[in-house]
Amino acid sequence: MTVRRVVALPLLGALLTGCGIRATEVPTDFGAAPSRVPCSLTGPDLSAQSSRGVPVQVFLLCGASLVAVDRSVRVPEGTPDARRRVIVAQGLLDQLASSPSAAERSAGYTTYVPGGLAVSGPGPKDPEDALRLSAAPSRLTSYALAQLVCTLSDSAATEGDGSVILGGPEKGPLRRYECTDEVREHPGSTQPPSSGVTGA
C-alpha cells in the first residue's frame, strides 16, 4: 500500500501541473489591436464632406442599426424654396448611394441605397411637400427604404416633422413615411410606418 502511494504521488503532481498555464518566453503576435470601436469614428471624416455646401446628415447601416453621419450638399445661392428642396433631396440620395469613405468602411458602415436613384418634386395634383422617386418605394429593400425615410424625414427637403411623403414615378400612389426609433434600431425587420396621402 505504501509503495502504491509513493508511485501515485508523482503522477498526481504531474497531472495537476498539466492543468495550469505555464509562463513562456516565446513572443506571440496576434496582429495589431483594434484601433476603433465599431460604428464609432474618431473625428470628422473630411474625405466624405465637401469643402462647401449645406451641412446635412445621412443614415448609413452599421451593425444592425442606422447611424447618422455628416455630409454636405451644394445648393446654388438664390435657389427658390421649392427647387431647393429637390436639390437637397437629390444630394442626399446621391450621398446615400455613394460608397462610404475608407474610414467609415473600416468602422463598419455600409449602405443599401442603389445608385442612379433620382428624385423630383410633386406632380400637378400632389401635395407641395411630396417627393417622387424614379423607382417606387415598395421596390426598395427594407434597409434602403429605412435609410431614405430616416435621411429625408429629418432634412431641409421636408417639413421637419419626422415624416416624408414619397411616391414612385408619374401618377403612382403617395404615402407618408415616418422614421421611428424602431426603424432606426431594426431597419432590416421593421418597415417605416406609412399612411396613404391624397392629392392637394
Side-chain angles (χ1 to χ4, degrees):
M1 186 69 177
T2 303
V3 174
R4 289 183 180 178
R5 288 179 179 176
V6 171
V7 174
L9 285 175
L11 290 176
L12 181 60
L15 288 173
L16 292 174
T17 303
C19 292
I21 299 175
R22 298 181 180 180
T24 176
E25 297 294 332
V26 179
T28 56
D29 183 10
F30 296 102
S35 60
R36 180 178 291 117
V37 178
C39 304
S40 176
L41 296 173
T42 56
D45 187 4
L46 299 179
S47 64
Q49 300 181 37
S50 303
S51 58
R52 291 175 295 176
V54 178
V56 296
Q57 286 189 323
V58 299
F59 281 87
L60 300 180
L61 186 72
C62 194
S65 61
L66 296 181
V67 182
V69 297
D70 294 328
R71 291 288 192 272
S72 64
V73 173
R74 295 191 180 191
V75 180
E77 293 185 10
T79 302
D81 288 344
R83 180 60 184 158
R84 179 186 178 88
R85 290 179 56 254
V86 176
I87 291 176
V88 171
Q90 185 63 61
L92 291 170
L93 262 63
D94 293 342
Q95 292 284 354
L96 286 171
S98 299
S99 177
S101 68
E104 290 167 346
R105 289 196 303 272
S106 67
Y109 289 83
T110 188
T111 182
Y112 281 81
V113 176
L117 194 62
V119 62
S120 61
K125 296 183 179 181
D126 294 344
E128 62 180 9
D129 56 344
L131 295 171
R132 287 196 171 272
L133 306 174
S134 56
S138 60
R139 299 186 63 183
L140 300 174
T141 66
S142 59
Y143 288 115
L145 182 59
Q147 284 185 260
L148 282 175
V149 169
C150 289
T151 296
L152 292 173
S153 64
D154 190 28
S155 73
T158 58
E159 298 298 320
D161 62 352
S163 69
V164 58
I165 298 177
L166 294 175
E170 299 178 355
K171 298 180 180 179
L174 294 170
R175 297 191 69 81
R176 182 181 292 275
Y177 296 88
E178 296 181 35
C179 177
T180 63
D181 291 340
E182 290 77 12
V183 172
R184 286 189 290 268
E185 293 170 4
H186 307 287
S189 58
T190 304
Q191 289 285 334
S194 65
S195 57
V197 175
T198 57

